[in-house]
Amino acid sequence: MGNDGGSIPTRRELVREAARAPSTAQVKETQREQQEHSWTTCPLSHKSLARPIVSDSVGNLYNKDAVLQFLLPGDDGEGISSKADCEEILCGRVKSLRDVIEVKFEVDTELAEHPSGRAHAPRGRQEGWICPITAKPLGPNVKSVYLVPCGHVFAEEAIRQLKGDKCLQCNESYAEENIISILPIKEDDKQRLITRGHKLAEQGLTHSLKKAPGSKKRKKHAEATDASTKEATGADASKTSTEPKDRSQTSTPVPSNAPVSGIKNAATSSLTARVLAEENEKKKRRKMMTQSSTINSLYSKKDGSKDGAAKGSDFMTRGFSLS
């Protein structure tokens, strides 16, 4: 019976329950599962995390050998995902070993001595890690941090309460901004770590506070550029300063805008200065004309004789010969 086209199911009969947004409990459970996976599995090799373990600038955990395989030249490394997948996971944050810090966990010796206690350890890991101050087990249920540059791991609660500036394990100094959250969940913590990475990159430093490769060359190039710019600016300034001197040495008088004979009006003062300059120029020309040898030859000297003429000649015979 059936398949005769007589029954057509409706959507109400096929879809019994409408889609619902996940509840808060479901969201927390999903986050807990993701955190547990990240605390126990290396995202590059998909193997269990085992010491030595390193962390990048955003607090993710990796096996050190997987990072080394990724950094080796070649198409694809052994024991890890493809280079393209690794690049997508790392997002360009790891370009050398200077971009990661080897995190140093305190191993729970009691858990290691009693194999029955391994049931309390995170799945996929054979050893437990604890905070050396509070003795709390470190994992997805406890917010953990590590310090740069030493890499020792503590519970975030212990660092917040002690408020020191030296590592409690190795006594090495650290700054507050170099407290790195491990696998942060809150967006504020993630954004803080991203901002820190950008600031270090601007200063030419890596996540481990070591100088980035090529930072010295960039700094020298910037200094050379600044020096050349200063030299060019100094040359232009010296050229500009010599121009007024050259103008002052010319014979042509330059009208001055300074007040002349107490005239306060700038336009009147400038016009008066120009007229005076023209008068001085005319006087100079007249003086030069009177000193010309051509004009002097037209006038007789005090003794009544001209150049080349006899003393006894008079005005009737002057300029003529009697031959």
Side-chain angles (χ1 to χ4, degrees):
M1 300 296 292
N3 293 331
D4 57 354
S7 61
I8 300 176
T10 61
R11 183 180 183 278
R12 182 174 55 187
E13 295 174 347
L14 296 175
V15 181
R16 293 296 181 181
E17 295 181 0
R20 296 179 181 177
S23 61
T24 305
Q26 291 175 342
V27 172
K28 289 184 177 180
E29 181 64 21
T30 303
Q31 289 181 351
R32 191 190 66 80
E33 291 178 357
Q34 293 177 352
Q35 283 284 304
E36 185 175 355
H37 181 269
S38 300
W39 270 94
T40 57
T41 308
C42 173
L44 300 181
S45 62
H46 303 289
K47 297 179 181 179
S48 299
L49 285 174
R51 293 180 297 167
I53 300 173
V54 295
S55 175
D56 60 5
S57 59
V58 296
N60 295 335
L61 300 178
Y62 312 93
N63 284 333
K64 189 174 183 179
D65 57 351
V67 175
L68 290 174
Q69 287 290 338
F70 167 74
L71 294 176
L72 289 176
D75 295 335
D76 292 327
E78 296 180 0
I80 61 173
S81 303
S82 62
K83 287 292 182 72
D85 294 341
C86 293
E87 284 285 357
E88 185 177 356
I89 294 171
L90 296 173
C91 299
R93 293 186 298 268
V94 179
K95 298 179 181 178
S96 67
L97 286 179
R98 299 181 181 184
D99 297 318
V100 294
I101 289 287
E102 183 174 347
V103 290
K104 302 172 184 177
F105 289 98
E106 183 76 13
V107 180
D108 189 358
T109 56
E110 295 181 0
L111 186 65
E113 292 176 357
H114 301 281
S116 60
R118 293 179 182 175
H120 301 284
R123 289 180 297 175
R125 205 172 64 213
Q126 298 298 323
E127 62 181 12
W129 301 328
I130 60 174
C131 173
I133 306 301
T134 62
K136 289 184 177 181
L138 301 179
N141 298 324
V142 177
K143 187 176 181 180
S144 307
V145 297
Y146 68 89
L147 308 179
V148 177
C150 65
H152 286 102
V153 183
F154 303 91
E156 192 266 344
E157 180 183 1
I159 297 296
R160 185 178 66 252
Q161 291 180 356
L162 294 176
K163 295 181 180 180
D165 58 351
K166 291 186 178 181
C167 177
L168 300 174
Q169 291 286 88
C170 62
N171 204 31
E172 187 171 357
S173 301
Y174 67 90
E176 184 178 358
E177 61 268 14
N178 293 328
I179 302 175
I180 309 301
S181 301
I182 298 177
L183 298 169
I185 299 177
K186 296 182 179 180
E187 291 297 328
D188 295 341
D189 295 337
K190 294 180 180 179
Q191 190 61 36
R192 181 181 69 85
L193 296 180
I194 293 174
T195 304
R196 173 184 175 273
H198 292 333
K199 289 182 179 180
L200 291 178
E202 292 176 357
Q203 298 173 3
L205 300 176
T206 58
H207 173 50
S208 60
L209 303 183
K210 297 179 181 179
K211 292 185 178 180
S215 60
K216 292 184 178 179
K217 295 181 180 179
R218 288 195 296 268
K219 186 176 181 181
K220 289 182 179 179
H221 179 69
E223 291 178 354
T225 305
D226 295 340
S228 61
T229 305
K230 290 181 180 179
E231 290 179 359
T233 306
D236 294 340
S238 61
K239 183 178 180 181
T240 306
S241 62
T242 55
E243 287 181 358
K245 295 182 180 179
D246 296 341
R247 291 180 180 177
S248 62
Q249 293 176 359
T250 56
S251 59
T252 305
V254 180
S256 175
N257 293 329
V260 179
S261 65
I263 300 176
K264 296 182 179 180
N265 192 339
T268 306
S269 176
S270 177
L271 181 61
T272 305
R274 190 179 303 172
V275 172
L276 292 176
E278 292 178 357
E279 290 294 334
N280 293 333
E281 185 68 19
K282 289 180 180 180
K283 289 181 180 180
K284 287 183 180 180
R285 290 179 181 176
R286 290 173 183 172
K287 189 175 181 180
M288 292 176 63
M289 290 176 65
T290 56
Q291 294 177 356
S292 175
S293 60
T294 306
I295 297 176
N296 290 336
S297 63
L298 299 177
Y299 299 94
S300 61
K301 296 182 179 180
K302 293 181 179 180
D303 54 358
S305 62
K306 288 194 308 181
D307 294 337
K311 293 183 178 180
S313 60
D314 55 6
F315 71 95
M316 295 293 295
T317 60
R318 189 177 300 164
F320 298 93
S321 61
L322 300 177
S323 57

PDB file of all heavy atoms in Angstrom, residues 77-107:
ATOM      1  N   GLY A  77      56.617  18.771   6.026  1.00  0.00           N
ATOM      2  CA  GLY A  77      57.430  18.098   7.021  1.00  0.00           C
ATOM      3  C   GLY A  77      56.829  16.762   7.421  1.00  0.00           C
ATOM      4  O   GLY A  77      55.639  16.493   7.213  1.00  0.00           O
ATOM      5  N   GLU A  78      57.649  15.933   7.999  1.00  0.00           N
ATOM      6  CA  GLU A  78      57.188  14.616   8.439  1.00  0.00           C
ATOM      7  C   GLU A  78      56.508  14.728   9.798  1.00  0.00           C
ATOM      8  O   GLU A  78      56.986  15.408  10.696  1.00  0.00           O
ATOM      9  CB  GLU A  78      58.376  13.648   8.534  1.00  0.00           C
ATOM     10  CG  GLU A  78      59.051  13.380   7.199  1.00  0.00           C
ATOM     11  CD  GLU A  78      60.210  12.414   7.344  1.00  0.00           C
ATOM     12  OE1 GLU A  78      60.459  11.984   8.490  1.00  0.00           O
ATOM     13  OE2 GLU A  78      60.846  12.102   6.329  1.00  0.00           O
ATOM     14  N   GLY A  79      55.392  14.042   9.931  1.00  0.00           N
ATOM     15  CA  GLY A  79      54.697  13.993  11.207  1.00  0.00           C
ATOM     16  C   GLY A  79      53.815  15.186  11.496  1.00  0.00           C
ATOM     17  O   GLY A  79      53.278  15.294  12.601  1.00  0.00           O
ATOM     18  N   ILE A  80      53.658  16.102  10.550  1.00  0.00           N
ATOM     19  CA  ILE A  80      52.784  17.257  10.755  1.00  0.00           C
ATOM     20  C   ILE A  80      51.869  17.401   9.548  1.00  0.00           C
ATOM     21  O   ILE A  80      52.031  16.711   8.533  1.00  0.00           O
ATOM     22  CB  ILE A  80      53.586  18.563  10.952  1.00  0.00           C
ATOM     23  CG1 ILE A  80      54.432  18.867   9.716  1.00  0.00           C
ATOM     24  CG2 ILE A  80      54.450  18.490  12.190  1.00  0.00           C
ATOM     25  CD1 ILE A  80      55.124  20.222   9.771  1.00  0.00           C
ATOM     26  N   SER A  81      50.916  18.284   9.664  1.00  0.00           N
ATOM     27  CA  SER A  81      50.024  18.555   8.544  1.00  0.00           C
ATOM     28  C   SER A  81      50.791  19.267   7.433  1.00  0.00           C
ATOM     29  O   SER A  81      51.974  19.593   7.569  1.00  0.00           O
ATOM     30  CB  SER A  81      48.841  19.402   9.012  1.00  0.00           C
ATOM     31  OG  SER A  81      48.143  18.762  10.064  1.00  0.00           O
ATOM     32  N   SER A  82      50.124  19.512   6.332  1.00  0.00           N
ATOM     33  CA  SER A  82      50.776  20.205   5.224  1.00  0.00           C
ATOM     34  C   SER A  82      51.160  21.623   5.636  1.00  0.00           C
ATOM     35  O   SER A  82      50.607  22.192   6.579  1.00  0.00           O
ATOM     36  CB  SER A  82      49.839  20.244   4.012  1.00  0.00           C
ATOM     37  OG  SER A  82      48.665  20.975   4.315  1.00  0.00           O
ATOM     38  N   LYS A  83      52.135  22.177   4.910  1.00  0.00           N
ATOM     39  CA  LYS A  83      52.590  23.526   5.238  1.00  0.00           C
ATOM     40  C   LYS A  83      51.454  24.540   5.123  1.00  0.00           C
ATOM     41  O   LYS A  83      51.380  25.494   5.907  1.00  0.00           O
ATOM     42  CB  LYS A  83      53.740  23.921   4.304  1.00  0.00           C
ATOM     43  CG  LYS A  83      55.056  23.208   4.594  1.00  0.00           C
ATOM     44  CD  LYS A  83      55.627  23.657   5.917  1.00  0.00           C
ATOM     45  CE  LYS A  83      56.977  23.008   6.212  1.00  0.00           C
ATOM     46  NZ  LYS A  83      58.059  23.526   5.372  1.00  0.00           N
ATOM     47  N   ALA A  84      50.567  24.335   4.166  1.00  0.00           N
ATOM     48  CA  ALA A  84      49.445  25.269   4.012  1.00  0.00           C
ATOM     49  C   ALA A  84      48.523  25.220   5.228  1.00  0.00           C
ATOM     50  O   ALA A  84      48.078  26.263   5.733  1.00  0.00           O
ATOM     51  CB  ALA A  84      48.670  24.943   2.739  1.00  0.00           C
ATOM     52  N   ASP A  85      48.248  24.004   5.725  1.00  0.00           N
ATOM     53  CA  ASP A  85      47.395  23.886   6.912  1.00  0.00           C
ATOM     54  C   ASP A  85      48.074  24.486   8.142  1.00  0.00           C
ATOM     55  O   ASP A  85      47.423  25.143   8.968  1.00  0.00           O
ATOM     56  CB  ASP A  85      47.053  22.418   7.169  1.00  0.00           C
ATOM     57  CG  ASP A  85      46.176  21.828   6.071  1.00  0.00           C
ATOM     58  OD1 ASP A  85      45.548  22.625   5.338  1.00  0.00           O
ATOM     59  OD2 ASP A  85      46.136  20.586   5.930  1.00  0.00           O
ATOM     60  N   CYS A  86      49.379  24.264   8.262  1.00  0.00           N
ATOM     61  CA  CYS A  86      50.111  24.835   9.401  1.00  0.00           C
ATOM     62  C   CYS A  86      50.123  26.359   9.338  1.00  0.00           C
ATOM     63  O   CYS A  86      49.981  27.032  10.369  1.00  0.00           O
ATOM     64  CB  CYS A  86      51.535  24.285   9.434  1.00  0.00           C
ATOM     65  SG  CYS A  86      51.642  22.514   9.797  1.00  0.00           S
ATOM     66  N   GLU A  87      50.291  26.898   8.138  1.00  0.00           N
ATOM     67  CA  GLU A  87      50.261  28.358   7.989  1.00  0.00           C
ATOM     68  C   GLU A  87      48.899  28.914   8.382  1.00  0.00           C
ATOM     69  O   GLU A  87      48.800  29.975   9.000  1.00  0.00           O
ATOM     70  CB  GLU A  87      50.588  28.742   6.541  1.00  0.00           C
ATOM     71  CG  GLU A  87      52.056  28.626   6.171  1.00  0.00           C
ATOM     72  CD  GLU A  87      52.883  29.752   6.761  1.00  0.00           C
ATOM     73  OE1 GLU A  87      52.303  30.649   7.405  1.00  0.00           O
ATOM     74  OE2 GLU A  87      54.110  29.728   6.592  1.00  0.00           O
ATOM     75  N   GLU A  88      47.851  28.195   8.033  1.00  0.00           N
ATOM     76  CA  GLU A  88      46.506  28.645   8.393  1.00  0.00           C
ATOM     77  C   GLU A  88      46.304  28.610   9.900  1.00  0.00           C
ATOM     78  O   GLU A  88      45.628  29.473  10.470  1.00  0.00           O
ATOM     79  CB  GLU A  88      45.475  27.760   7.694  1.00  0.00           C
ATOM     80  CG  GLU A  88      44.043  28.215   7.896  1.00  0.00           C
ATOM     81  CD  GLU A  88      43.051  27.367   7.130  1.00  0.00           C
ATOM     82  OE1 GLU A  88      43.500  26.469   6.377  1.00  0.00           O
ATOM     83  OE2 GLU A  88      41.832  27.591   7.285  1.00  0.00           O
ATOM     84  N   ILE A  89      46.896  27.627  10.567  1.00  0.00           N
ATOM     85  CA  ILE A  89      46.763  27.531  12.023  1.00  0.00           C
ATOM     86  C   ILE A  89      47.589  28.607  12.718  1.00  0.00           C
ATOM     87  O   ILE A  89      47.128  29.265  13.661  1.00  0.00           O
ATOM     88  CB  ILE A  89      47.190  26.126  12.498  1.00  0.00           C
ATOM     89  CG1 ILE A  89      46.223  25.069  11.959  1.00  0.00           C
ATOM     90  CG2 ILE A  89      47.248  26.061  14.020  1.00  0.00           C
ATOM     91  CD1 ILE A  89      46.686  23.643  12.199  1.00  0.00           C
ATOM     92  N   LEU A  90      48.814  28.818  12.241  1.00  0.00           N
ATOM     93  CA  LEU A  90      49.724  29.764  12.899  1.00  0.00           C
ATOM     94  C   LEU A  90      49.446  31.214  12.521  1.00  0.00           C
ATOM     95  O   LEU A  90      49.821  32.126  13.266  1.00  0.00           O
ATOM     96  CB  LEU A  90      51.172  29.410  12.551  1.00  0.00           C
ATOM     97  CG  LEU A  90      51.655  28.041  13.048  1.00  0.00           C
ATOM     98  CD1 LEU A  90      53.033  27.730  12.495  1.00  0.00           C
ATOM     99  CD2 LEU A  90      51.679  28.000  14.568  1.00  0.00           C
ATOM    100  N   CYS A  91      48.835  31.440  11.355  1.00  0.00           N
ATOM    101  CA  CYS A  91      48.477  32.802  10.913  1.00  0.00           C
ATOM    102  C   CYS A  91      49.695  33.726  10.850  1.00  0.00           C
ATOM    103  O   CYS A  91      49.602  34.918  11.177  1.00  0.00           O
ATOM    104  CB  CYS A  91      47.411  33.402  11.828  1.00  0.00           C
ATOM    105  SG  CYS A  91      45.864  32.479  11.842  1.00  0.00           S
ATOM    106  N   GLY A  92      50.853  33.178  10.482  1.00  0.00           N
ATOM    107  CA  GLY A  92      52.051  33.997  10.327  1.00  0.00           C
ATOM    108  C   GLY A  92      52.699  34.432  11.625  1.00  0.00           C
ATOM    109  O   GLY A  92      53.588  35.287  11.607  1.00  0.00           O
ATOM    110  N   ARG A  93      52.286  33.877  12.754  1.00  0.00           N
ATOM    111  CA  ARG A  93      52.856  34.294  14.037  1.00  0.00           C
ATOM    112  C   ARG A  93      54.204  33.651  14.325  1.00  0.00           C
ATOM    113  O   ARG A  93      54.976  34.184  15.127  1.00  0.00           O
ATOM    114  CB  ARG A  93      51.884  33.958  15.178  1.00  0.00           C
ATOM    115  CG  ARG A  93      50.593  34.749  15.174  1.00  0.00           C
ATOM    116  CD  ARG A  93      49.779  34.444  16.414  1.00  0.00           C
ATOM    117  NE  ARG A  93      49.388  33.044  16.468  1.00  0.00           N
ATOM    118  CZ  ARG A  93      48.249  32.568  15.987  1.00  0.00           C
ATOM    119  NH1 ARG A  93      47.393  33.392  15.408  1.00  0.00           N
ATOM    120  NH2 ARG A  93      47.950  31.285  16.083  1.00  0.00           N
ATOM    121  N   VAL A  94      54.496  32.510  13.708  1.00  0.00           N
ATOM    122  CA  VAL A  94      55.735  31.780  13.986  1.00  0.00           C
ATOM    123  C   VAL A  94      56.557  31.729  12.704  1.00  0.00           C
ATOM    124  O   VAL A  94      56.191  31.053  11.746  1.00  0.00           O
ATOM    125  CB  VAL A  94      55.438  30.356  14.501  1.00  0.00           C
ATOM    126  CG1 VAL A  94      56.742  29.606  14.759  1.00  0.00           C
ATOM    127  CG2 VAL A  94      54.595  30.408  15.762  1.00  0.00           C
ATOM    128  N   LYS A  95      57.663  32.475  12.701  1.00  0.00           N
ATOM    129  CA  LYS A  95      58.583  32.474  11.575  1.00  0.00           C
ATOM    130  C   LYS A  95      59.957  31.947  11.963  1.00  0.00           C
ATOM    131  O   LYS A  95      60.773  31.653  11.096  1.00  0.00           O
ATOM    132  CB  LYS A  95      58.708  33.889  11.005  1.00  0.00           C
ATOM    133  CG  LYS A  95      57.389  34.435  10.469  1.00  0.00           C
ATOM    134  CD  LYS A  95      57.555  35.847   9.946  1.00  0.00           C
ATOM    135  CE  LYS A  95      56.227  36.399   9.438  1.00  0.00           C
ATOM    136  NZ  LYS A  95      56.364  37.803   8.955  1.00  0.00           N
ATOM    137  N   SER A  96      60.222  31.875  13.252  1.00  0.00           N
ATOM    138  CA  SER A  96      61.474  31.316  13.761  1.00  0.00           C
ATOM    139  C   SER A  96      61.237  30.907  15.209  1.00  0.00           C
ATOM    140  O   SER A  96      60.165  31.150  15.781  1.00  0.00           O
ATOM    141  CB  SER A  96      62.615  32.336  13.658  1.00  0.00           C
ATOM    142  OG  SER A  96      62.379  33.425  14.536  1.00  0.00           O
ATOM    143  N   LEU A  97      62.249  30.282  15.811  1.00  0.00           N
ATOM    144  CA  LEU A  97      62.118  29.863  17.205  1.00  0.00           C
ATOM    145  C   LEU A  97      62.063  31.056  18.159  1.00  0.00           C
ATOM    146  O   LEU A  97      61.696  30.899  19.323  1.00  0.00           O
ATOM    147  CB  LEU A  97      63.288  28.950  17.587  1.00  0.00           C
ATOM    148  CG  LEU A  97      63.240  27.530  17.009  1.00  0.00           C
ATOM    149  CD1 LEU A  97      64.456  26.737  17.448  1.00  0.00           C
ATOM    150  CD2 LEU A  97      61.961  26.807  17.434  1.00  0.00           C
ATOM    151  N   ARG A  98      62.433  32.246  17.679  1.00  0.00           N
ATOM    152  CA  ARG A  98      62.321  33.433  18.521  1.00  0.00           C
ATOM    153  C   ARG A  98      60.866  33.841  18.741  1.00  0.00           C
ATOM    154  O   ARG A  98      60.576  34.615  19.653  1.00  0.00           O
ATOM    155  CB  ARG A  98      63.084  34.594  17.892  1.00  0.00           C
ATOM    156  CG  ARG A  98      64.574  34.335  17.734  1.00  0.00           C
ATOM    157  CD  ARG A  98      65.267  35.535  17.139  1.00  0.00           C
ATOM    158  NE  ARG A  98      66.696  35.306  16.952  1.00  0.00           N
ATOM    159  CZ  ARG A  98      67.552  36.211  16.513  1.00  0.00           C
ATOM    160  NH1 ARG A  98      67.118  37.425  16.207  1.00  0.00           N
ATOM    161  NH2 ARG A  98      68.825  35.926  16.371  1.00  0.00           N
ATOM    162  N   ASP A  99      59.978  33.329  17.895  1.00  0.00           N
ATOM    163  CA  ASP A  99      58.564  33.686  18.003  1.00  0.00           C
ATOM    164  C   ASP A  99      57.797  32.774  18.948  1.00  0.00           C
ATOM    165  O   ASP A  99      56.569  32.917  19.065  1.00  0.00           O
ATOM    166  CB  ASP A  99      57.907  33.654  16.615  1.00  0.00           C
ATOM    167  CG  ASP A  99      58.512  34.687  15.682  1.00  0.00           C
ATOM    168  OD1 ASP A  99      58.754  35.815  16.138  1.00  0.00           O
ATOM    169  OD2 ASP A  99      58.751  34.361  14.498  1.00  0.00           O
ATOM    170  N   VAL A 100      58.469  31.838  19.590  1.00  0.00           N
ATOM    171  CA  VAL A 100      57.814  30.946  20.544  1.00  0.00           C
ATOM    172  C   VAL A 100      58.623  30.929  21.835  1.00  0.00           C
ATOM    173  O   VAL A 100      59.806  31.263  21.858  1.00  0.00           O
ATOM    174  CB  VAL A 100      57.668  29.510  19.987  1.00  0.00           C
ATOM    175  CG1 VAL A 100      56.725  29.486  18.802  1.00  0.00           C
ATOM    176  CG2 VAL A 100      59.026  28.934  19.611  1.00  0.00           C
ATOM    177  N   ILE A 101      57.952  30.538  22.910  1.00  0.00           N
ATOM    178  CA  ILE A 101      58.572  30.403  24.229  1.00  0.00           C
ATOM    179  C   ILE A 101      58.358  28.967  24.698  1.00  0.00           C
ATOM    180  O   ILE A 101      57.242  28.441  24.614  1.00  0.00           O
ATOM    181  CB  ILE A 101      57.949  31.378  25.243  1.00  0.00           C
ATOM    182  CG1 ILE A 101      58.364  32.811  24.931  1.00  0.00           C
ATOM    183  CG2 ILE A 101      58.350  31.029  26.665  1.00  0.00           C
ATOM    184  CD1 ILE A 101      59.796  33.132  25.263  1.00  0.00           C
ATOM    185  N   GLU A 102      59.411  28.354  25.189  1.00  0.00           N
ATOM    186  CA  GLU A 102      59.264  27.014  25.755  1.00  0.00           C
ATOM    187  C   GLU A 102      58.664  27.139  27.155  1.00  0.00           C
ATOM    188  O   GLU A 102      59.283  27.700  28.065  1.00  0.00           O
ATOM    189  CB  GLU A 102      60.610  26.302  25.821  1.00  0.00           C
ATOM    190  CG  GLU A 102      60.503  24.880  26.340  1.00  0.00           C
ATOM    191  CD  GLU A 102      61.815  24.125  26.280  1.00  0.00           C
ATOM    192  OE1 GLU A 102      62.750  24.622  25.612  1.00  0.00           O
ATOM    193  OE2 GLU A 102      61.906  23.045  26.895  1.00  0.00           O
ATOM    194  N   VAL A 103      57.450  26.638  27.306  1.00  0.00           N
ATOM    195  CA  VAL A 103      56.755  26.739  28.589  1.00  0.00           C
ATOM    196  C   VAL A 103      57.232  25.610  29.504  1.00  0.00           C
ATOM    197  O   VAL A 103      57.437  24.476  29.068  1.00  0.00           O
ATOM    198  CB  VAL A 103      55.227  26.682  28.389  1.00  0.00           C
ATOM    199  CG1 VAL A 103      54.731  27.936  27.720  1.00  0.00           C
ATOM    200  CG2 VAL A 103      54.819  25.472  27.574  1.00  0.00           C
ATOM    201  N   LYS A 104      57.392  25.956  30.768  1.00  0.00           N
ATOM    202  CA  LYS A 104      57.945  25.020  31.749  1.00  0.00           C
ATOM    203  C   LYS A 104      56.874  24.713  32.791  1.00  0.00           C
ATOM    204  O   LYS A 104      56.576  25.540  33.654  1.00  0.00           O
ATOM    205  CB  LYS A 104      59.191  25.628  32.400  1.00  0.00           C
ATOM    206  CG  LYS A 104      60.275  25.981  31.383  1.00  0.00           C
ATOM    207  CD  LYS A 104      61.408  26.764  32.009  1.00  0.00           C
ATOM    208  CE  LYS A 104      62.431  27.185  30.960  1.00  0.00           C
ATOM    209  NZ  LYS A 104      63.516  28.010  31.541  1.00  0.00           N
ATOM    210  N   PHE A 105      56.301  23.515  32.676  1.00  0.00           N
ATOM    211  CA  PHE A 105      55.255  23.083  33.594  1.00  0.00           C
ATOM    212  C   PHE A 105      55.869  22.375  34.799  1.00  0.00           C
ATOM    213  O   PHE A 105      56.898  21.704  34.693  1.00  0.00           O
ATOM    214  CB  PHE A 105      54.281  22.129  32.890  1.00  0.00           C
ATOM    215  CG  PHE A 105      53.395  22.804  31.877  1.00  0.00           C
ATOM    216  CD1 PHE A 105      53.715  22.768  30.529  1.00  0.00           C
ATOM    217  CD2 PHE A 105      52.245  23.457  32.269  1.00  0.00           C
ATOM    218  CE1 PHE A 105      52.901  23.371  29.595  1.00  0.00           C
ATOM    219  CE2 PHE A 105      51.418  24.065  31.340  1.00  0.00           C
ATOM    220  CZ  PHE A 105      51.751  24.024  30.001  1.00  0.00           C
ATOM    221  N   GLU A 106      55.201  22.531  35.928  1.00  0.00           N
ATOM    222  CA  GLU A 106      55.559  21.786  37.133  1.00  0.00           C
ATOM    223  C   GLU A 106      54.806  20.455  37.096  1.00  0.00           C
ATOM    224  O   GLU A 106      53.568  20.422  37.087  1.00  0.00           O
ATOM    225  CB  GLU A 106      55.174  22.585  38.378  1.00  0.00           C
ATOM    226  CG  GLU A 106      55.561  21.927  39.679  1.00  0.00           C
ATOM    227  CD  GLU A 106      57.048  22.043  39.974  1.00  0.00           C
ATOM    228  OE1 GLU A 106      57.735  22.840  39.289  1.00  0.00           O
ATOM    229  OE2 GLU A 106      57.520  21.346  40.891  1.00  0.00           O
ATOM    230  N   VAL A 107      55.560  19.355  37.055  1.00  0.00           N
ATOM    231  CA  VAL A 107      54.950  18.031  36.929  1.00  0.00           C
ATOM    232  C   VAL A 107      54.444  17.567  38.292  1.00  0.00           C
ATOM    233  O   VAL A 107      55.121  17.734  39.320  1.00  0.00           O
ATOM    234  CB  VAL A 107      55.957  17.022  36.348  1.00  0.00           C
ATOM    235  CG1 VAL A 107      55.327  15.640  36.226  1.00  0.00           C
ATOM    236  CG2 VAL A 107      56.461  17.503  34.996  1.00  0.00           C
TER     237      VAL A 107
END
